Amino acid sequence: MNMDNLKIILRENKKYGKSLFAKKAINKGEIIAVFDGQVYEANKCSDLPNEAPLKVRDHAIQFEKHKWRDSNGLARFISHSCEPNCGIKESFKIVAIKDIPNGEELTYDYDMTENSDWKLICKCDSANCRKLIRGYRFLPSEFKKKYRGFISKWLIE
Ligand SMILES: [Zn+2]
């Protein structure tokens, strides 16, 4: 079963390649897409397979200390932003944290789920961009406060 919101579409962005966009206005609280695919176990993120075309390491999200999950649908293509319009509910659901207009790129903050040895040089250009994204344990407390209710369950238990 495909769990993707019908208002999302996969398009190229200038920074990372394929990314998700709204093709109709999306309301705050709507589920965007779900990580509903294969589960991978690894000691750390860098041990995950990353061969093309799947590139699991770049697309799966972490949901336990040693577990990651990919998606069957479009969830795996959501980009990172330090000023995201989406967040995580429970472990696997991407939800809109604000009203999102038609045409806007969909993003969540990867530190809402990741806390291993994975790193990203961020190019989101938001005013409060953290530049180097390297896991929840490095997320400043003002972000943790702002993201309350949208951080993966395993990081706050
Ligand atoms: Zn950023």
Side-chain angles (χ1 to χ4, degrees):
M1 195 182 103
N2 190 329
M3 298 173 92
D4 295 337
N5 191 309
L6 295 173
K7 302 177 197 169
I8 67 172
I9 187 167
L10 188 63
R11 264 192 222 149
E12 297 287 319
N13 79 1
K14 294 181 191 83
K15 294 166 188 165
Y16 307 113
K18 291 195 176 94
S19 191
L20 297 183
F21 289 81
K23 62 175 181 180
K24 276 186 182 169
I26 293 171
N27 299 315
K28 179 179 176 177
E30 272 190 66
I31 293 173
I32 301 294
V34 179
F35 285 85
D36 57 350
Q38 194 174 332
V39 169
Y40 295 85
E41 286 192 49
N43 189 31
K44 53 191 195 299
C45 184
S46 57
D47 295 335
L48 289 169
N50 207 37
E51 294 80 34
L54 272 186
K55 293 192 158 220
V56 171
R57 189 180 69 214
D58 290 350
H59 293 286
I61 63 163
Q62 192 172 11
F63 70 98
E64 278 181 31
K65 193 167 184 208
H66 300 296
K67 285 184 183 174
W68 283 259
R69 193 173 190 189
D70 206 336
S71 69
N72 295 316
L74 294 177
R76 69 197 311 276
F77 294 108
I78 192 164
S79 293
H80 164 89
S81 172
C82 303
E83 207 174 306
N85 51 20
C86 298
I88 300 296
K89 274 288 175 206
E90 293 140 26
S91 303
F92 305 119
K93 290 180 197 147
I94 302 170
V95 297
I97 60 179
K98 51 179 84 166
D99 290 336
I100 301 171
N102 181 11
E104 194 166 294
E105 186 172 11
L106 303 170
T107 56
Y108 89 103
D109 191 317
Y110 287 178
D111 282 350
M112 290 168 168
T113 56
E114 304 311 294
N115 203 16
S116 184
D117 64 346
W118 190 80
K119 286 190 185 81
L120 170 79
I121 307 288
C122 187
K123 299 176 253 180
C124 79
D125 294 331
S126 78
N128 48 9
C129 180
R130 306 192 302 281
K131 312 291 182 197
L132 182 62
I133 309 306
R134 50 184 181 154
Y136 180 75
R137 65 195 178 281
F138 298 105
L139 190 64
S141 57
E142 64 265 30
F143 283 85
K144 287 180 181 165
K145 202 185 280 177
K146 194 169 77 170
Y147 294 161
R148 230 177 125 186
F150 299 100
I151 293 169
S152 181
K153 206 166 82 166
W154 83 278
L155 291 170
I156 50 176
E157 268 168 358

